[in-house]
Amino acid sequence: MEGRFETFTVLINRISRSVRKIKNQEMAGYQLRSAHISCLYYLYAVGRLTATELCERCEEDKATVSRALDFLEENGYLLYKTKSDKHYRSVITLTEKGKAAGKQIADKIDRVLEEVSVGLTDEERAAFYRALSIISDNLEHVSKA
């Protein structure tokens, strides 16, 4: 029982750190950070989203997504299709530059997912994600108590 907490927290932190490191290494040439990559990935995958929808998909706070979107807009990766007085309600789409970066990100994610799945059967991977989802939901519930 004593080792469960240490094992769980250490492994989760290692996974999170590795994901951030991969994101940062792969996008260094674009001068993009982790939050930028998440925004580009979801915009590429879905096509068009609002800032509010991006916050939900990226699991990032509004300020982080807002700063990321400002950077991406200023650097020609995205544009706002609708002009709203509330920027977070405006529909966002990728420019050609953004689509190229989004494709590179999606391709890298696919390669990484293939590599990290080596040695797991489809059933084992499904069970892992199911268990991780339950743990995530339970932790969220406990943290609100």
Side-chain angles (χ1 to χ4, degrees), residues 97-123:
K97 180 179 179 179
K99 288 176 186 173
K103 179 171 180 10
Q104 182 179 350
I105 292 164
D107 290 347
K108 178 62 180 185
I109 287 170
D110 289 343
R111 285 191 305 273
V112 168
L113 290 175
E114 285 298 317
E115 286 183 43
V116 302
S117 295
V118 170
L120 293 174
T121 66
D122 289 341
E123 295 79 20

Short mmCIF file of all heavy atoms in Angstrom, two decimals, residues 97-123:
data_model
loop_
_atom_site.label_atom_id
_atom_site.label_comp_id
_atom_site.label_asym_id
_atom_site.label_seq_id
_atom_site.Cartn_x
_atom_site.Cartn_y
_atom_site.Cartn_z
N LYS A 97 -0.07 27.89 -43.27
CA LYS A 97 1.07 27.66 -42.38
C LYS A 97 0.64 26.84 -41.17
O LYS A 97 1.33 25.92 -40.75
CB LYS A 97 1.64 29.00 -41.93
CG LYS A 97 2.82 28.91 -41.00
CD LYS A 97 3.34 30.30 -40.61
CE LYS A 97 4.51 30.23 -39.66
NZ LYS A 97 5.01 31.58 -39.31
N GLY A 98 -0.52 27.15 -40.62
CA GLY A 98 -1.06 26.42 -39.47
C GLY A 98 -1.41 24.99 -39.83
O GLY A 98 -1.18 24.06 -39.05
N LYS A 99 -1.98 24.79 -41.02
CA LYS A 99 -2.32 23.44 -41.47
C LYS A 99 -1.06 22.59 -41.64
O LYS A 99 -1.06 21.41 -41.28
CB LYS A 99 -3.11 23.49 -42.77
CG LYS A 99 -4.53 24.00 -42.61
CD LYS A 99 -5.23 24.12 -43.95
CE LYS A 99 -6.58 24.78 -43.78
NZ LYS A 99 -7.22 25.05 -45.08
N ALA A 100 0.00 23.19 -42.18
CA ALA A 100 1.25 22.46 -42.37
C ALA A 100 1.82 22.05 -41.01
O ALA A 100 2.25 20.90 -40.82
CB ALA A 100 2.26 23.31 -43.14
N ALA A 101 1.81 22.97 -40.05
CA ALA A 101 2.30 22.65 -38.70
C ALA A 101 1.39 21.62 -38.04
O ALA A 101 1.87 20.68 -37.40
CB ALA A 101 2.38 23.91 -37.86
N GLY A 102 0.08 21.77 -38.21
CA GLY A 102 -0.88 20.83 -37.64
C GLY A 102 -0.69 19.42 -38.18
O GLY A 102 -0.75 18.44 -37.44
N LYS A 103 -0.42 19.32 -39.47
CA LYS A 103 -0.17 18.00 -40.08
C LYS A 103 1.10 17.40 -39.51
O LYS A 103 1.12 16.21 -39.16
CB LYS A 103 -0.08 18.10 -41.60
CG LYS A 103 0.21 16.74 -42.24
CD LYS A 103 0.10 16.76 -43.72
CE LYS A 103 0.38 15.46 -44.40
NZ LYS A 103 0.51 14.27 -43.63
N GLN A 104 2.15 18.18 -39.38
CA GLN A 104 3.40 17.68 -38.82
C GLN A 104 3.18 17.20 -37.38
O GLN A 104 3.68 16.15 -37.00
CB GLN A 104 4.47 18.77 -38.85
CG GLN A 104 5.80 18.30 -38.33
CD GLN A 104 6.87 19.38 -38.38
OE1 GLN A 104 6.69 20.44 -38.96
NE2 GLN A 104 8.00 19.10 -37.75
N ILE A 105 2.41 17.95 -36.61
CA ILE A 105 2.11 17.57 -35.23
C ILE A 105 1.31 16.28 -35.19
O ILE A 105 1.64 15.36 -34.44
CB ILE A 105 1.34 18.71 -34.52
CG1 ILE A 105 2.26 19.92 -34.33
CG2 ILE A 105 0.76 18.24 -33.19
CD1 ILE A 105 1.52 21.21 -34.00
N ALA A 106 0.26 16.19 -36.01
CA ALA A 106 -0.58 14.99 -36.03
C ALA A 106 0.22 13.76 -36.45
O ALA A 106 0.07 12.68 -35.87
CB ALA A 106 -1.78 15.20 -36.96
N ASP A 107 1.09 13.93 -37.45
CA ASP A 107 1.92 12.82 -37.90
C ASP A 107 2.86 12.36 -36.79
O ASP A 107 3.05 11.15 -36.58
CB ASP A 107 2.73 13.20 -39.15
CG ASP A 107 1.87 13.36 -40.38
OD1 ASP A 107 0.68 12.95 -40.37
OD2 ASP A 107 2.38 13.93 -41.39
N LYS A 108 3.46 13.30 -36.09
CA LYS A 108 4.37 12.96 -34.99
C LYS A 108 3.60 12.25 -33.87
O LYS A 108 4.09 11.26 -33.31
CB LYS A 108 5.07 14.21 -34.46
CG LYS A 108 5.99 13.95 -33.29
CD LYS A 108 7.13 13.01 -33.66
CE LYS A 108 8.04 12.76 -32.49
NZ LYS A 108 9.20 11.96 -32.84
N ILE A 109 2.44 12.73 -33.55
CA ILE A 109 1.61 12.10 -32.51
C ILE A 109 1.31 10.66 -32.90
O ILE A 109 1.43 9.75 -32.07
CB ILE A 109 0.32 12.91 -32.26
CG1 ILE A 109 0.67 14.19 -31.51
CG2 ILE A 109 -0.71 12.08 -31.49
CD1 ILE A 109 -0.48 15.19 -31.42
N ASP A 110 0.95 10.43 -34.16
CA ASP A 110 0.68 9.07 -34.62
C ASP A 110 1.90 8.17 -34.46
O ASP A 110 1.79 7.03 -34.00
CB ASP A 110 0.22 9.07 -36.08
CG ASP A 110 -1.18 9.64 -36.27
OD1 ASP A 110 -1.92 9.75 -35.26
OD2 ASP A 110 -1.52 10.00 -37.41
N ARG A 111 3.08 8.69 -34.83
CA ARG A 111 4.32 7.90 -34.71
C ARG A 111 4.62 7.60 -33.24
O ARG A 111 4.99 6.47 -32.90
CB ARG A 111 5.49 8.64 -35.36
CG ARG A 111 5.46 8.60 -36.88
CD ARG A 111 6.76 9.10 -37.49
NE ARG A 111 7.18 10.41 -37.06
CZ ARG A 111 6.80 11.57 -37.61
NH1 ARG A 111 5.95 11.56 -38.63
NH2 ARG A 111 7.26 12.71 -37.16
N VAL A 112 4.48 8.59 -32.38
CA VAL A 112 4.76 8.40 -30.96
C VAL A 112 3.80 7.38 -30.36
O VAL A 112 4.21 6.49 -29.60
CB VAL A 112 4.71 9.74 -30.19
CG1 VAL A 112 4.71 9.52 -28.68
CG2 VAL A 112 5.88 10.63 -30.59
N LEU A 113 2.52 7.50 -30.69
CA LEU A 113 1.54 6.55 -30.17
C LEU A 113 1.84 5.12 -30.61
O LEU A 113 1.66 4.18 -29.85
CB LEU A 113 0.12 6.95 -30.56
CG LEU A 113 -0.42 8.19 -29.86
CD1 LEU A 113 -1.79 8.57 -30.42
CD2 LEU A 113 -0.50 7.99 -28.36
N GLU A 114 2.31 4.98 -31.83
CA GLU A 114 2.71 3.64 -32.31
C GLU A 114 3.90 3.12 -31.49
O GLU A 114 3.91 1.97 -31.07
CB GLU A 114 3.06 3.68 -33.80
CG GLU A 114 1.87 3.77 -34.70
CD GLU A 114 0.94 2.56 -34.57
OE1 GLU A 114 1.43 1.42 -34.51
OE2 GLU A 114 -0.28 2.78 -34.54
N GLU A 115 4.89 3.99 -31.28
CA GLU A 115 6.09 3.58 -30.54
C GLU A 115 5.78 3.22 -29.09
O GLU A 115 6.31 2.24 -28.56
CB GLU A 115 7.15 4.68 -30.58
CG GLU A 115 7.83 4.82 -31.92
CD GLU A 115 8.92 5.87 -31.91
OE1 GLU A 115 9.70 5.93 -30.94
OE2 GLU A 115 8.99 6.64 -32.89
N VAL A 116 4.94 4.00 -28.44
CA VAL A 116 4.67 3.73 -27.02
C VAL A 116 3.71 2.57 -26.83
O VAL A 116 3.57 2.07 -25.72
CB VAL A 116 4.16 4.98 -26.25
CG1 VAL A 116 5.16 6.12 -26.33
CG2 VAL A 116 2.80 5.44 -26.75
N SER A 117 3.10 2.11 -27.90
CA SER A 117 2.18 0.99 -27.81
C SER A 117 2.86 -0.35 -28.06
O SER A 117 2.22 -1.39 -27.93
CB SER A 117 1.03 1.17 -28.81
OG SER A 117 0.26 2.29 -28.46
N VAL A 118 4.14 -0.32 -28.42
CA VAL A 118 4.87 -1.56 -28.68
C VAL A 118 4.83 -2.42 -27.42
O VAL A 118 5.08 -1.94 -26.31
CB VAL A 118 6.32 -1.27 -29.11
CG1 VAL A 118 7.14 -2.54 -29.14
CG2 VAL A 118 6.34 -0.57 -30.45
N GLY A 119 4.47 -3.68 -27.59
CA GLY A 119 4.41 -4.61 -26.47
C GLY A 119 3.04 -4.69 -25.81
O GLY A 119 2.85 -5.49 -24.90
N LEU A 120 2.10 -3.86 -26.25
CA LEU A 120 0.74 -3.90 -25.71
C LEU A 120 -0.22 -4.45 -26.75
O LEU A 120 -0.15 -4.06 -27.92
CB LEU A 120 0.26 -2.50 -25.31
CG LEU A 120 0.94 -1.80 -24.16
CD1 LEU A 120 0.41 -0.37 -24.03
CD2 LEU A 120 0.69 -2.57 -22.87
N THR A 121 -1.11 -5.31 -26.33
CA THR A 121 -2.18 -5.75 -27.22
C THR A 121 -3.25 -4.66 -27.24
O THR A 121 -3.27 -3.77 -26.39
CB THR A 121 -2.81 -7.06 -26.73
OG1 THR A 121 -3.48 -6.80 -25.48
CG2 THR A 121 -1.77 -8.16 -26.57
N ASP A 122 -4.13 -4.72 -28.21
CA ASP A 122 -5.24 -3.76 -28.27
C ASP A 122 -6.09 -3.83 -27.00
O ASP A 122 -6.54 -2.81 -26.48
CB ASP A 122 -6.12 -4.01 -29.49
CG ASP A 122 -5.43 -3.64 -30.79
OD1 ASP A 122 -4.44 -2.87 -30.76
OD2 ASP A 122 -5.88 -4.12 -31.86
N GLU A 123 -6.28 -5.05 -26.48
CA GLU A 123 -7.08 -5.23 -25.26
C GLU A 123 -6.38 -4.60 -24.06
O GLU A 123 -7.03 -3.97 -23.22
CB GLU A 123 -7.34 -6.72 -25.00
CG GLU A 123 -8.20 -7.40 -26.05
CD GLU A 123 -7.44 -7.77 -27.32
OE1 GLU A 123 -6.19 -7.87 -27.30
OE2 GLU A 123 -8.10 -7.94 -28.36
#
